[in-house]
Amino acid sequence: MKSKIYSYMLYAAFALPLGIVGSGLLTSCSDFLDKEKGNEMTEEQTFSDWENLKAYHLDGYNYLRHGALKVYDGSDWAGQGSWMDAATDLAMCSYSAGGVRRSFNVGNYYSSYGATELINTWEHYYRAIRKMNTTIARIESVPKPTAENSLASYETDKKNYTAEAKFLRGYFYWELFLRYGPVPYIKDRLDPEKGAEELSREYKDRPSVQEFIANVMEDLDEKTVEANLLDNMTNDDRAGRITKGMACGLRARILLYLASPRYAGDNEFTQKFGKSGVTWQQAADAQWNFIKTYGTGKSYSLEANYEDAILKTVYTGNKEVIFWRNEPAVGWGSIYLDVPTAEGGRGGNCPTQNLVDMYDMADGTSPFTSYDATGAPAYNGNYLNVSSIVNSESGYNDASPVTGRDPRLAYTVLYNGEEWGTKVLEIFDGGADNAVGDANATKTGYYMRKYVPQQIFNTTQHIGTASRNWIFMRYAEILLNYCEALNEVDYNQNKFTIASYLDMIRRRAGITGSISSRLSKDLNTQEAMRNFIHKERNVELAMEDHRSWDVRRWGVAEEALARPIIGVTVTKDNVYTRKQAQTRVFYPRMYCYPIPQTEVWKTEIENNPGW
């Protein structure tokens, strides 16, 4: 008798959920297995009608995770409302129930409080991959549509849906790779009649990095996939669908990651899974290919205003966003976890002084004398007294650390005395937003502005709505990727090109000084430029779910994620004093998540080093 216990990885590869989505694209995170019985369809019903197939395929977009609250899995927000940046030195979750406080921050990667990210991610993406495999396997057998308008675009749509399914499969596998390393790359709808034991033997072996990435790149191939995707869509009913630019941009990002020390250097990971074999020149070429093909105003460019780059939608002309999760307008229920407490929120994802320290002054000078490979000031172990590393020429004052800074700080971080919502923020000790005994009040002395549209709560009734589409990739990242790769290829040869692209990003934000003027001063070596570029990524892309993966690929996660979290105490007359807000731990094994233990038990797949 065949065993009925299958690992989720294997089950997801061959099982077909019943039911299809009959409504619009990306309006919920509905799971087919949770559909009411009246909405269920058999496999044959689903794939006997073109419109059913279309709805089935488009539902796959719901598996793109929303980074603001990560993902809703039907029972709870991932990490109990925590952002991934609260698992890094850029932010801290203010309320004790925040999942990362009881999992990532204390080194408990098996904790139920962070399970939706640390453990359920495995099931989530293999479930998504199952859908992609099914679309690819069945689309050719689905009868042609009978409606004249659908029939006219049938051949094009068929190629497009297949290409979309391959792109999404590659993206989902890449997301698994970031967390778990190389995992079995299943492209087939497996036959359950084989039985669990045979399936487990066939798919428990872990591929090398090169074998795994070869499959990802095949799913993102320029000629067979990118060529059959849509052009950049903004103002029609296809906006939010996968486009040619997304495929090109994702390939470029992946090559940058694979050229980084974690995947191309000598370490425990590459000893286990092999080196990527990707060079910095290949990574640079990939970024330039995107810039010349889709950038420089062709399809994508920097928005004139930094805040617009985040909150302005593609429907209103945002040319910077490349890849995003398309969603309807959200209201108070989607943001209250990250709103200052006096406004009725729970505090949520509070930026740290660690992040604030990374911003330059508005005139382009650095407030500190040097930076380390994590992109943070070289504290030299003294986090609470930075007087010895302050750049005296910058005008920086540690008693007023938000004064005269890079304008991106004010678009990312809320601080004491700002007008926000219907009130003036009182984050001083004992103030309305930092009341004595308020367990949810910020522990860092700051609240988050980025990704929180003010118009939602610009009345005391909190009845406003606003768009807040989660951004996976925007053009500023491509430019930063290009700078990073060029610096690693040859600093001396490329330093002026690097400076020009960094200035493009910084001047958009409102910084007046130029990087080129610093090439003979504090940015006069490859190492100094490397650390500065790392810092610029932290500043430009803060709260966009990059930091956790950047410090891992750079091989500096132990330095970045185990350092003390710095906050500030603010007086009523706006004098700031540093304090230690939280201690963190990070051990080498935490570079990868543990493969869920139930999966290891069922399949005997080898877990990651140290787990």
Side-chain angles (χ1 to χ4, degrees), residues 39-103:
N39 292 332
E40 291 180 354
M41 286 189 175
T42 66
E43 177 173 349
E44 291 311 311
Q45 288 174 322
T46 300
F47 296 109
S48 64
D49 180 86
W50 182 254
E51 292 302 315
N52 289 351
L53 173 279
K54 178 180 177 180
Y56 174 85
H57 164 64
L58 294 180
D59 183 69
Y61 279 83
N62 285 309
Y63 288 90
L64 292 170
R65 295 180 126 182
H66 194 299
L69 290 169
K70 214 58 192 165
V71 64
Y72 188 67
D73 68 356
S75 59
D76 193 11
W77 290 109
Q80 278 66 32
S82 302
W83 293 48
M84 273 298 291
D85 276 299
T88 78
D89 53 340
L90 302 190
M92 175 183 171
C93 187
S94 64
Y95 46 88
S96 60
V100 298
R101 292 183 63 166
R102 305 189 191 188
S103 55

Side-chain angles (χ1 to χ4, degrees), residues 266-547:
D266 294 312
N267 52 64
E268 186 179 28
F269 183 87
T270 55
Q271 290 172 7
K272 181 70 178 176
F273 299 111
K275 297 181 181 180
S276 68
V278 175
T279 67
W280 284 112
Q281 185 62 60
Q282 289 173 306
D285 291 343
Q287 315 312 314
W288 176 244
N289 179 55
F290 184 96
I291 292 168
K292 71 178 182 181
T293 305
Y294 298 105
T296 59
K298 294 184 178 70
S299 296
Y300 306 102
S301 58
L302 293 177
E303 277 293 304
N305 181 281
Y306 181 69
E307 188 174 36
D308 284 348
I310 308 304
L311 292 179
K312 184 179 177 182
T313 69
V314 294
Y315 309 108
T316 53
N318 191 327
K319 297 280 285 185
E320 184 162 343
V321 173
I322 299 168
F323 182 18
W324 79 102
R325 180 185 161 100
N326 189 19
E327 303 213 21
V330 298
W332 176 252
S334 294
I335 67 164
Y336 81 97
L337 290 176
D338 295 302
V339 172
T341 51
E343 193 66 51
R346 293 192 64 189
N349 192 53
C350 298
T352 62
Q353 185 63 38
N354 307 64
L355 171 61
V356 174
D357 283 347
M358 296 177 189
Y359 289 84
D360 274 357
M361 307 303 287
D363 65 2
T365 58
S366 287
F368 301 104
T369 53
S370 62
Y371 295 80
D372 64 22
T374 73
Y379 294 109
N380 300 320
N382 195 346
Y383 297 92
L384 302 184
N385 182 0
V386 296
S387 57
S388 65
I389 62 170
V390 170
N391 174 13
S392 59
E393 298 179 359
S394 69
Y396 173 78
N397 178 7
D398 202 51
S400 183
V402 299
T403 302
R405 304 299 289 276
D406 175 345
R408 288 175 291 186
L409 174 63
Y411 287 124
T412 306
V413 178
L414 291 172
Y415 41 83
N416 186 58
E418 279 194 283
E419 292 185 8
W420 187 249
T422 60
K423 301 175 175 65
V424 174
L425 292 174
E426 296 182 358
I427 312 179
F428 58 83
D429 271 11
D433 291 291
N434 197 6
V436 176
D438 186 345
N440 293 330
T442 175
K443 307 302 184 292
T444 66
Y446 300 106
Y447 288 104
M448 185 172 69
R449 176 176 179 178
K450 197 173 191 179
Y451 264 131
V452 181
Q454 185 175 354
Q455 57 266 45
I456 292 177
F457 56 100
N458 58 8
T459 66
T460 56
Q461 291 79 26
H462 297 153
I463 58 176
T465 61
S467 295
R468 187 182 66 165
N469 296 332
W470 179 257
I471 300 169
F472 298 112
M473 181 181 294
R474 53 190 178 90
Y475 192 54
E477 181 202 337
I478 296 291
L479 300 183
L480 287 166
N481 292 350
Y482 191 43
C483 292
E484 181 178 346
L486 284 180
N487 184 62
E488 298 301 336
V489 169
D490 191 323
Y491 164 81
N492 287 318
Q493 180 179 335
N494 298 315
K495 59 185 178 181
F496 291 105
T497 301
I498 294 168
S500 68
Y501 279 105
L502 289 176
D503 278 337
M504 191 184 303
I505 296 169
R506 286 158 62 87
R507 284 175 180 159
R508 179 275 292 275
I511 293 177
T512 56
S514 68
I515 296 298
S516 58
S517 67
R518 297 172 58 177
L519 295 178
S520 61
K521 300 176 183 178
D522 59 326
L523 300 179
N524 61 347
T525 67
Q526 182 186 49
E527 181 182 13
M529 182 62 81
R530 174 187 301 124
N531 297 348
F532 183 82
I533 292 170
H534 290 184
K535 181 189 77 69
E536 279 297 296
R537 287 184 70 88
N538 300 336
V539 167
E540 176 69 27
L541 305 175
M543 312 307 173
E544 296 181 47
D545 200 10
H546 288 269
R547 179 65 167 168

